[in-house]
Amino acid sequence: DSGVTQTPKHLITATGQRVTLRCSPRSGDLSVYWYQQSLDQGLQFLIQYYNGEERAKGNILERFSAQQFPDLHSELNLSSLELGDSALYFCASSRNQGFQETQYFGPGTRLLVL
Amino acid sequence: ELKVEQNPLFLSMQEGKNYTIYCNYSTTSDRLYWYRQDPGKSLESLFVLLSNGAVKQEGRLMASLDTKARLSTLHITAAVHDLSATYFCAALNYGGSQGNLIFGKGTKLSVKP
C-alpha cells in the first residue's frame, strides 16, 4: 500500500458526460501528479500540482482539468467524454515539487466510456 | 520533440540469466525514471536517475544513465520469477511547461523457470 488513495476504483459513464476523479496523496506529500494509461496512447503524464499550484503540464486535453485543494487532495475533471477517454487514470504523490524523487502511485481509477 | 524508445518490448528470460533493457531518448534530458507495473496493478517507481553517469541498484536490478549517448539501461542479474512485470522508462522534457514526462512503450518481461 503506497498511502495514495484514489476514488472511485471503477467508473462507467456515457459519451458526452462529465466525471470527477479524486486523489488523496500520502501524508506530508505536497505534489500530486496525474497519469493516463490506455492501450492506444500508452502511459501519458497529464499534469502536476504542488501545494495547490499547477507546476507541470503534459498531454492533457482541454476537456480535462485538475485542481489541488488546500487539504492537498486533488481532483481530475473529465468533460465531454469520448470513447477514447476510456483508460486507467493514476495519480501519484511526492514530497517536493520537482521530478527529483520517488513518486508513490495510487491504485488507479478505471474509466469506461460507453 | 522528446521521444522515448524501449527495447526489447517483449523479453522472455530463464531464471538465473542476465539481461539488459535499453531506453533511448531523442533529445537532451538529464533525468530518467524507471517504473514497474504488475499485471492489473498500479505503477511502482523503481529508480530516479538525475545526472549523467548515475547508477542505482536495488536487489537484482541496476539502472544507469548516459546522457551523452541519450541512453539508460536496466540490467537484470540472475532473474527470478518475481521480476516478471512490465518495465517502463520515462525521460523528463524541459519544454516551456516546466516538465513533461515522456514514457516508453514498456518492456514486458517474463521470467520462466
Side-chain angles (χ1 to χ4, degrees):
Chain A
D1 184 1
S2 67
V4 178
T5 60
Q6 288 186 250
T7 56
K9 286 188 177 179
H10 303 276
L11 198 47
I12 301 175
T13 188
T15 54
Q17 295 298 306
R18 171 189 168 98
V19 297
T20 298
L21 313 183
R22 182 188 169 106
C23 170
S24 293
R26 290 188 322 154
S27 177
D29 284 359
L30 299 178
S31 271
V32 171
Y33 310 76
W34 285 98
Y35 298 87
Q36 179 196 59
Q37 185 175 32
S38 67
L39 287 175
D40 288 346
Q41 303 288 335
L43 257 175
Q44 294 195 97
F45 164 70
L46 296 179
I47 199 163
Q48 179 213 359
Y49 278 81
Y50 173 76
N51 205 20
E53 294 192 8
E54 182 184 306
R55 279 286 187 255
K57 204 167 191 175
N59 301 321
I60 188 166
L61 299 172
E62 286 192 8
R63 300 183 285 109
F64 295 1
S65 65
Q67 54 184 326
Q68 186 179 27
F69 294 86
D71 68 352
L72 301 177
H73 91 272
S74 178
E75 292 181 357
L76 180 67
N77 300 295
L78 316 176
S79 62
S80 303
L81 284 167
E82 302 176 359
L83 296 177
D85 297 329
S86 296
L88 258 175
Y89 292 85
F90 293 110
C91 80
S93 73
S94 68
R95 190 82 43 179
N96 296 307
Q97 68 172 324
F99 287 85
Q100 297 183 19
E101 55 193 14
T102 298
Q103 295 174 31
Y104 295 87
F105 285 81
T109 293
R110 187 175 293 276
L111 173 66
L112 180 59
V113 182
L114 300 175
Chain B
E1 180 188 350
L2 176 60
K3 293 187 178 179
V4 177
E5 285 191 8
Q6 281 181 246
N7 69 83
L9 297 182
F10 298 93
L11 179 55
S12 182
M13 296 177 64
Q14 280 196 310
E15 280 190 330
K17 299 290 188 184
N18 304 333
Y19 208 85
T20 299
I21 299 171
Y22 297 89
C23 178
N24 291 89
Y25 52 97
S26 60
T27 64
T28 301
S29 176
D30 62 1
R31 295 186 183 180
L32 199 293
Y33 308 81
W34 286 95
Y35 302 85
R36 169 183 170 143
Q37 186 175 36
D38 292 314
K41 302 288 187 182
S42 185
L43 288 159
E44 176 189 356
S45 178
L46 291 176
F47 299 109
V48 177
L49 303 170
L50 299 179
S51 60
N52 185 39
V55 177
K56 290 197 175 178
Q57 182 161 7
E58 181 73 34
R60 299 174 188 276
L61 300 178
M62 183 173 71
S64 65
L65 177 60
D66 181 344
T67 58
K68 293 179 182 175
R70 297 178 186 164
L71 171 69
S72 179
T73 59
L74 180 66
H75 187 73
I76 303 156
T77 302
V80 293
H81 179 71
D82 285 352
L83 290 179
S84 297
T86 299
Y87 294 85
F88 294 92
C89 67
L92 188 64
N93 182 4
Y94 281 104
S97 59
Q98 302 162 2
N100 180 8
L101 266 183
I102 307 295
F103 285 84
K105 291 186 185 301
T107 296
K108 187 171 182 178
L109 172 66
S110 176
V111 181
K112 301 183 185 304

